[in-house]
Amino acid sequence: RQEAAEYYRSHRVPQRMEEALNALFPQRPADLYGELANYFSKFSKAPVICKLVGRRVLDGVGQPTLEVEIYCTVKNYEKRICSTVMSSHSQIPENALPETTEADEKERNDSVNTAVEWVNDSLSTMLRDLKPTDQCKVDEMLGEYFTKQAEFKKEIEKQEEEAAEVTLALTLCTPSATALPGGKKAAKPGKKVSATERMIPPAEPVESVLCGSLAIGATSLAIAKAGATISHIPLYLHIALLKHDQDLPKEMTVPLPMVTLLNCEKIPPAKLKLVKEVMLIPPVQLSLKQGIERVLGIQKEMTRLLESPGKVQSSPRLADSKKGKAHNTGKKAPPRALRRISHLGCLITGCDNLEQPLLLMQTACNNLGLELGTDVYLAINCAAHELMDYVKGKYEILTGMFKSPDEMVDMYVELINTFPFIIALIDPLRKEDRQQWNHICRALGSKCYLIAEDAATCISKLKTDQNRNIPMCSGVVLKYINQTKVSDLIELTGLLDGQRHITILGSPDGESSDDSLVDLAVGLGARFVKLGGLSRGERVTKYNRLLAIEEELAKNRTLR
């Protein structure tokens, strides 16, 4: 009894019990024991990480990806706090060869399996007993672990190269029965390289991705979610506090959505190759809810026009390009193939020229009494890096029609002058065509945003040297993939803000139902968010989260 009394006195239990009883008696709460539990919970130890669980799951397009669960010791009990599912991302273009796609799928499978091992073994042990609210320390340890793994891989590759050189040397030392002594094999006459090809900068090598690297990004984001949950605040507030050194901004903004309405396919009979996505941006004077409703109305009208192409009045070429006419029999025509939904959550259609999707969009808006450039704006994802023909040294913008980088600049200037309601061009050129990026920025920088998405390298390299890793542009699309950490995003968006660059948070092609990207965009103060279309559950759940955040900020009177 004396030991027990001393134990409780050393922890000030009698004193705090008396304080609790005195404080609660005047309130006479309906749930007395619940209120006592709340009172004493503030004296309990802070939750610490006890284990991480990684598992292989599927993303929105059926590709394998990684889920990370965080378990913490809370009031002496192990408790599951949260989980996050990493969005998968591929650098393979849509028109890639089948063998390239197969190799990418194998690499993705290996990476996910390795990531699961990292999480369940090394990372779970390494992060045990750390506070989930200590994001900086966790990210620092994750970064060190990733660096060690990258160095280990380089060492293995170096050993393999040395072994291959030894094997080659031994092979060359073996005399060949057919080789002539001192004879040199004549080079075969090959196809001459054109002057144009020599003039264009060669494609930079594809950024190598360390097998298992998505374990780093997934764990960092899961820790951030756990920190927000433990602190009883939304993730976007937790991110804002991390970015502003725990000094919460008095007001917060909701980023403008770039809503994908059309995905232009690049296979026959379609001729247009230049446009990958046509996106709508609602005006800033509308609330997000009003903007989404307006975009939905335009999407419905677009669907109607695509099903009945004869009804498009303002573009005869558009109507003529569709085969067949709708029958005036009073019966609804069956849905056409154009009604297909892309993995981006939008309508898929093929076009014959650059003006066709723009005139179609203009017709849909006119039919609803809306004016492009006033009531809604357009953005185009050109994805120019997928169009370069390196033999000709030119971009194939239409089937059989090629333009040099300088001609591309002239074409974009004419396009914006003809359609001034286009306020953003994403990846209008390859990242290697830096001279043309400078030209287009000087020509159009005051008229529209010129955004680098594929033209920007990975976030870790952007942090190191932005001037070297991105061409001259108005802003950058950042994607939370692979070894990206929350601290990396916070640091990079701070640098971009200081340079007055536009920050856009974009979702990868292989999106998951995890809506954390939206909280990241709001907490980091991104200007735009690029989430795809208003179809498919993994896309719509993010728009719903964005709407909920806007409502919450408005309710708290912190919405700017």
Side-chain angles (χ1 to χ4, degrees), residues 87-121:
S87 298
S88 62
H89 179 67
S90 174
Q91 294 178 310
I92 304 299
E94 293 180 4
N95 53 356
L97 296 172
E99 52 267 29
T100 305
T101 305
E102 289 176 9
D104 181 61
E105 289 179 356
K106 182 183 183 304
E107 186 178 327
R108 186 199 305 266
N109 274 296
D110 293 342
S111 184
V112 172
N113 293 337
T114 302
V116 170
E117 291 179 11
W118 285 10
V119 172
N120 290 329
D121 298 332

Side-chain angles (χ1 to χ4, degrees), residues 505-527:
L505 262 288
S507 59
D509 289 346
E511 191 52 279
S512 71
S513 57
D514 193 301
D515 58 11
S516 305
L517 176 70
V518 174
D519 285 77
L520 286 174
V522 175
L524 294 169
R527 180 77 64 89

Side-chain angles (χ1 to χ4, degrees), residues 30-289:
D31 183 2
L32 175 60
Y33 290 103
E35 200 62 39
L36 282 170
N38 293 336
Y39 186 89
F40 283 109
S41 65
K42 62 187 178 184
F43 301 113
S44 63
K45 288 185 177 180
V48 293
I49 300 166
C50 60
K51 72 175 181 180
L52 274 61
V53 176
R55 65 168 57 90
R56 178 190 174 106
V57 295
L58 299 179
D59 65 15
V61 292
Q63 294 287 353
T65 189
L66 173 68
E67 179 184 27
V68 174
E69 291 181 323
I70 304 294
Y71 287 79
C72 289
T73 302
V74 183
K75 300 180 178 67
N76 299 315
Y77 290 97
E78 181 183 288
K79 182 179 179 181
R80 181 185 181 277
I81 303 299
C82 67
S83 70
T84 190
V85 177
M86 198 67 170
S87 298
S88 62
H89 179 67
S90 174
Q91 294 178 310
I92 304 299
E94 293 180 4
N95 53 356
L97 296 172
E99 52 267 29
T100 305
T101 305
E102 289 176 9
D104 181 61
E105 289 179 356
K106 182 183 183 304
E107 186 178 327
R108 186 199 305 266
N109 274 296
D110 293 342
S111 184
V112 172
N113 293 337
T114 302
V116 170
E117 291 179 11
W118 285 10
V119 172
N120 290 329
D121 298 332
S122 306
L123 299 185
S124 183
T125 304
M126 183 178 75
L127 300 180
R128 188 175 297 149
D129 296 330
L130 289 179
K131 294 179 182 178
T133 51
D134 197 350
Q135 187 74 40
C136 292
K137 186 173 182 180
V138 169
D139 282 351
E140 184 181 348
M141 295 176 71
L142 289 173
E144 291 173 356
Y145 179 82
F146 175 80
T147 301
K148 287 180 182 178
Q149 293 297 324
E151 290 173 351
F152 179 67
K153 181 187 176 184
K154 284 182 181 178
E155 187 63 31
I156 291 177
E157 289 175 347
K158 183 180 178 181
Q159 292 173 3
E160 290 175 349
E161 287 177 6
E162 290 174 352
E165 288 174 1
V166 171
T167 304
L168 180 61
L170 291 172
T171 305
L172 293 174
C173 289
T174 306
S176 174
T178 58
L180 293 174
K184 195 169 185 180
K185 197 170 181 180
K188 291 184 179 180
K191 187 177 178 182
K192 289 185 178 180
V193 178
S194 66
T196 311
E197 184 183 358
R198 287 198 299 269
M199 286 171 59
I200 67 164
E204 294 179 8
V206 177
E207 194 68 39
S208 62
V209 177
L210 182 64
C211 185
S213 60
L214 71 165
I216 304 299
T219 301
S220 178
L221 183 55
I223 293 295
K225 291 179 74 172
T229 303
I230 294 296
S231 303
H232 305 290
I233 58 174
L235 177 58
Y236 67 88
L237 281 182
H238 183 63
I239 298 296
L241 286 168
L242 289 172
K243 182 174 181 178
H244 299 283
D245 296 325
Q246 303 303 315
D247 185 15
L248 188 65
K250 293 180 181 179
E251 292 180 318
M252 300 184 72
T253 57
V254 174
L256 279 173
M258 289 181 165
V259 186
T260 306
L261 220 60
L262 283 180
N263 179 206
C264 298
E265 61 183 353
K266 301 178 182 181
I267 56 175
K271 296 179 181 178
L272 178 65
K273 296 181 179 292
L274 178 62
V275 178
K276 183 176 183 179
E277 296 175 82
V278 180
M279 295 166 282
L280 284 178
I281 303 174
V284 292
Q285 58 266 30
L286 294 183
S287 67
L288 177 68
K289 184 178 180 180

Side-chain angles (χ1 to χ4, degrees), residues 354-370:
L354 182 54
E355 294 80 12
Q356 191 171 326
L358 304 178
L359 292 173
L360 179 62
M361 197 77 72
Q362 201 169 31
T363 301
C365 290
N366 289 342
N367 291 350
L368 297 173
L370 300 173

